[in-house]
Amino acid sequence: MSNIKLETQNAVTAAQLSAIAADEQAAVKTLDTATGAGNDFLGWTDLPERTDSKLLDDIMDAARSLRNTCDTVVCVGIGGSYLGAKFVIEALSGNFAAMEPGRIGAPKVLFAGQNISEDYLYELTGLLRSRSFGIIVISKSGTTTEPAIAFRILREQLEAQVGRGEAAKRIVAITDAKRGALRVLADREGYRTFVIEDNVGGRYSVLTPVGLLPIAVAGFDIRALVQGARDMHARCASGDDVAATYAATRNILYRAGKKIEILVNFCPRLHFLGEWWKQLYAESEGKDGKGIFPASVDFSTDLHSLGQMIQQGERTVFETVVSVDKVDHSVIIPEDKDNLDGINYLAGKHVDYVNKMAEKGTAIAHIDGGVPNIRIQLPAITESVLGSLIYFFERACGVSGYMLGVNPFNQPGVEEYKRNMFALLEKPGYEEDTKAIKARL
Ligand code: PA5
């Protein structure tokens, strides 16, 4: 059973939870019986159970092959085809892992295709000139502009560095089973491929090969990650539906005028948890003129920037703190005979003790200042705990979206910027849009 704890008593009362219980149960039923809007995108709900040993073995085999030939592996993808792997790898890696050189057997995992920055690609291709690199290219549609640009540039470089035949062995494509440009290219060039199922949306895909392959290449235990997700699924199904309780809590707060939720960590390795979570909730809930705006902060760092606003700004914010019980290492604050900085009262104490007191003190200050505080307690940062946390947030998001009255599994608004960009770029087929947008410039 997953041992993540959810505390809601500093955000809502038991009476408030009871009052919304019927709505909560209706949303749970809609999700669990697949009777709501977007029910053709519910493949993620039983995905951990359906992920069998054969698939995990295949993923680990592909990871081994890349680890055996590459000191660097570039994952090309954006949005749901990027954020899950980035979050899990960062959470499980040392804080300074990025400074360590990659080596064969333990390659550095880098990311591309998540922006359109010329300087980013210039610097990345410069770095890769002296590296033995491979590519995992991830795109469900196979047509997304950002990863298409990055992949075209990196594939050309890889072929120039090692030849087309060897490049084909170092490229793994994760895409649709049959459709899309990436599928056509992968089949033509003989790349190893993994499939993103039709019924799993990008932001729910971290526990598919989309997330699992990069995470395995980085050296982490994907079996434990998937098992953690299964544990959380089993827990919610057994009646201890903490995900539904979280969904209900945030909907009570939203209905009471708390329109912004900030996901808080006190652990820098969890920065990208916030980025992944923001995509999950923003694309799922922000539609039809509704939705809790998801933001994220790294404390105590951001207490020195956003802290003032959270404490005393407009009272529309609530926070969800992801707290970690156990750190991995020990650092004790030393005694100093001059004590010029005045912190000798902390001498002999663990740095984490100070961090935990900052966390407690901040929670009390924020609650006193009118910022409801939801707390998600992790025993430690491990593969299994992260697997449970992923499933918890995914399930909560589905329930919450239905409580809000939206389809949590589409993202029609994401297309708007693309149409304008294509019109401005004069993409064939967009001639009328090009004329219209140019008239506005
Ligand atoms: O969640 C989503 O659907 C999006 O964020 C997509 O993952 C993102 O746009 C990338 O799409 P694709 O994998 O088709 O390249």
Side-chain angles (χ1 to χ4, degrees):
M1 270 291 173
S2 112
N3 47 5
I4 291 177
K5 283 195 214 128
L6 172 72
E7 288 174 18
T8 59
Q9 67 273 17
N10 289 315
V12 293
T13 62
Q16 285 176 301
L17 279 169
S18 295
I20 207 172
D23 280 9
E24 176 192 334
Q25 283 321 307
V28 165
K29 190 168 170 208
T30 303
L31 183 70
D32 289 347
T33 56
T35 47
N39 58 1
D40 45 345
F41 280 96
L42 293 177
W44 59 272
T45 55
D46 61 350
L47 181 69
E49 287 72 25
R50 286 190 293 110
T51 304
D52 58 15
S53 270
K54 160 92 179 61
L55 177 59
L56 291 172
D57 286 345
D58 283 353
I59 293 171
M60 287 194 289
D61 185 64
R64 208 172 302 117
S65 162
L66 286 168
R67 287 168 67 85
N68 286 343
T69 41
C70 304
D71 58 27
T72 305
V73 174
V74 187
C75 296
V76 178
I78 194 166
S81 293
Y82 151 66
L83 285 162
K86 175 81 174 162
F87 136 49
V88 174
I89 292 171
E90 283 228 352
L92 294 170
S93 301
N95 285 292
F96 300 99
M99 313 291 284
E100 294 158 11
R103 56 192 160 75
I104 307 287
K108 183 110 328 253
V109 176
L110 305 178
F111 292 87
Q114 81 284 30
N115 59 50
I116 327 177
S117 164
E118 187 154 348
D119 287 344
Y120 189 97
L121 282 168
Y122 177 88
E123 290 164 29
L124 177 63
T125 49
L127 177 85
L128 293 174
R129 251 175 245 129
S130 58
R131 300 287 179 104
S132 176
F133 76 100
I135 303 172
I136 301 172
V137 54
I138 309 170
S139 180
K140 186 175 179 190
S141 62
T143 55
T144 308
T145 309
E146 290 91 334
I149 291 171
F151 182 54
R152 182 182 283 210
I153 291 166
L154 294 174
R155 175 168 66 100
E156 191 185 85
Q157 177 169 350
L158 184 59
E159 288 178 352
Q161 281 181 212
V162 299
R164 194 164 162 187
E166 176 61 19
K169 292 187 198 151
R170 295 188 189 192
I171 296 174
V172 180
I174 305 178
T175 188
D176 187 85
K178 298 199 186 77
R179 291 182 301 264
L182 184 54
R183 167 55 59 190
V184 174
L185 180 69
D187 289 347
R188 192 189 75 191
E189 297 294 315
Y191 301 154
R192 189 167 187 167
T193 61
F194 289 93
V195 169
I196 312 176
E197 296 172 19
D198 278 347
N199 60 358
V200 180
R203 58 189 176 275
Y204 289 85
S205 70
V206 54
L207 297 173
T208 72
V210 168
L212 297 179
L213 179 60
I215 292 165
V217 169
F220 299 112
D221 183 351
I222 55 171
R223 283 185 191 280
L225 188 78
V226 171
Q227 187 55 48
R230 287 179 191 144
D231 291 346
M232 179 55 78
H233 188 190
R235 176 176 171 181
C236 294
S238 75
D240 182 14
D241 198 343
V242 277
T245 306
Y246 171 57
T249 304
R250 54 201 301 285
N251 275 276
I252 292 168
L253 296 170
Y254 179 67
R255 291 175 195 184
K258 301 293 185 190
K259 308 280 187 192
I260 299 165
E261 178 177 12
I262 48 174
L263 194 80
V264 179
N265 74 75
F266 279 78
C267 168
R269 278 159 47 196
L270 292 182
H271 173 81
F272 265 90
L273 163 64
E275 302 303 311
W276 171 80
W277 173 88
K278 283 190 286 195
Q279 188 211 0
L280 181 62
Y281 281 80
E283 286 192 350
S284 299
E285 295 194 317
K287 53 199 72 158
D288 306 336
K290 300 187 218 177
I292 300 168
F293 188 93
S296 63
V297 290
D298 302 322
F299 284 171
S300 68
T301 312
D302 293 335
L303 287 172
H304 297 256
S305 56
L306 292 166
Q308 171 63 35
M309 173 67 93
I310 297 165
Q311 188 69 46
Q312 295 183 328
E314 199 178 355
R315 301 297 70 195
T316 47
V317 175
F318 67 98
E319 63 188 2
T320 297
V321 179
V322 178
S323 177
V324 183
D325 283 341
K326 201 174 143 296
V327 292
D328 293 341
H329 306 289
S330 165
V331 178
I332 308 280
I333 300 167
E335 177 91 29
D336 182 277
K337 77 175 168 38
D338 298 326
N339 194 27
L340 290 175
D341 51 16
I343 60 165
N344 264 355
Y345 75 102
L346 296 174
K349 301 244 183 323
H350 283 274
V351 173
D352 190 55
Y353 168 76
V354 181
N355 202 28
K356 293 281 191 298
M357 293 309 112
E359 186 179 322
K360 280 194 201 325
T362 305
I364 293 166
H366 287 179
I367 293 161
D368 289 350
V371 180
N373 180 282
I374 303 172
R375 207 174 142 78
I376 297 167
Q377 190 78 35
L378 311 184
I381 303 177
T382 64
E383 286 91 336
S384 133
V385 169
L386 293 182
S388 289
L389 186 66
I390 287 166
Y391 196 85
F392 166 84
F393 276 134
E394 288 181 347
R395 178 170 172 78
C397 191
V399 175
S400 186
Y402 285 139
M403 290 188 78
L404 196 61
V406 299
N407 173 356
F409 305 111
N410 66 359
Q411 55 285 326
V414 175
E415 297 310 312
E416 295 292 315
Y417 94 91
K418 291 184 192 169
R419 202 179 51 241
N420 288 344
M421 178 177 78
F422 292 147
L424 290 165
L425 290 169
E426 300 181 26
K427 183 175 176 173
Y430 285 77
E431 290 77 8
E432 287 309 310
D433 290 317
T434 300
K435 261 193 246 152
I437 204 160
K438 287 206 164 164
R440 289 176 62 183
L441 292 179

